[in-house]
Amino acid sequence: MFGSSFELKGRIAVVLGGSDGVAAAVCRLLAERGARVAVVGPDELSLADLVDELRWNGAEAVGVVATGLECADAAAMDAVRHSVLGELGAPELLFVLPGQQRAGGWQRTVDSGLTATFLALQAFVPAMAESGTGAVVTLAPVGTDPATNAVGGGVTALTQHYARLFALSGVRANVVSWTPREATVDDAAYAALYLASDAAARMTATTLDVAGTLMRL
């Protein structure tokens, strides 16, 4: 379906977002294209199932169990970074794809979506800049409640800030804006793959909108 610009053979990718939804779909796409994948999430059993699936299909994949990310724990994010470095090495691709926060109110939604995204960018992007290359893709939700939309707007602004900050260092950072629903998971995953690939090598600080009729105006 895609040309050589979408091949990612040997590249190390970190996918934060658990083992279902957009994060799982992105992991499968990365594995199909030869990337070495570190899957990060809080549920050890479901994480192991996804990693086993990726390995069964011939990919090099590891699971990093991380609790506390949904509560925006900086120490947990630092532990994730050390685990990825120890298991696979320095990542070239970073996907921050938090799942839909179904309960917990304003603070939990903002912590698990926006603050956790900030901590991930803070943990991984400076090292990418030092190596002179890297691609970051974040997921900005569009919903019907204030907290979800605040997270979406914040993630977009934060990603654009990092894109500008590290533009001269060879690191690109882009956003996929989407409406959290099962029918659009593949749309968001393919958009994320595109933005991380060489096909989008000249794109940074860009938002690719797959939110549909609930797009933010």
Side-chain angles (χ1 to χ4, degrees), residues 63-74:
V64 179
V65 179
T67 58
L69 296 186
E70 71 278 6
C71 300
D73 186 330

Side-chain angles (χ1 to χ4, degrees), residues 70 96 98 108-118 139 151 155:
E70 71 278 6
V96 189
R108 188 172 179 83
T109 300
V110 172
D111 281 347
S112 63
L114 178 56
T115 309
T117 297
F118 166 69
L139 193 65
V151 168
V155 166

Side-chain angles (χ1 to χ4, degrees), residues 14-31 37-40 50 54 94-100 102 137-142 175-195 208 210-211:
V14 179
V15 182
L16 294 102
S19 50
D20 59 5
V22 177
V26 165
C27 287
R28 294 183 179 105
L29 292 175
L30 291 170
V37 185
V39 191
V40 183
L50 177 58
L54 299 177
L94 173 65
F95 297 84
V96 189
L97 313 169
Q100 182 180 10
R102 295 178 175 82
V137 180
T138 61
L139 193 65
V142 178
V175 184
V176 174
S177 174
W178 84 304
T179 304
R181 57 178 66 171
E182 189 64 29
T184 61
V185 164
D186 286 343
D187 294 339
Y190 277 109
L193 176 70
Y194 167 69
L195 290 173
L208 192 54
V210 295

Side-chain angles (χ1 to χ4, degrees), residues 1 3 104 122 185 217:
M1 180 177 179
Q122 187 180 54
V185 164
L217 299 178

Side-chain angles (χ1 to χ4, degrees), residues 129-176:
E130 286 182 10
S131 68
T133 185
V136 177
V137 180
T138 61
L139 193 65
V142 178
T144 58
D145 63 286
T148 297
N149 286 321
V151 168
V155 166
T156 300
L158 180 63
T159 306
Q160 291 172 344
H161 170 77
Y162 267 76
R164 291 188 294 268
L165 188 63
F166 291 97
L168 298 180
S169 302
V171 177
R172 301 184 297 108
N174 293 289
V175 184
V176 174

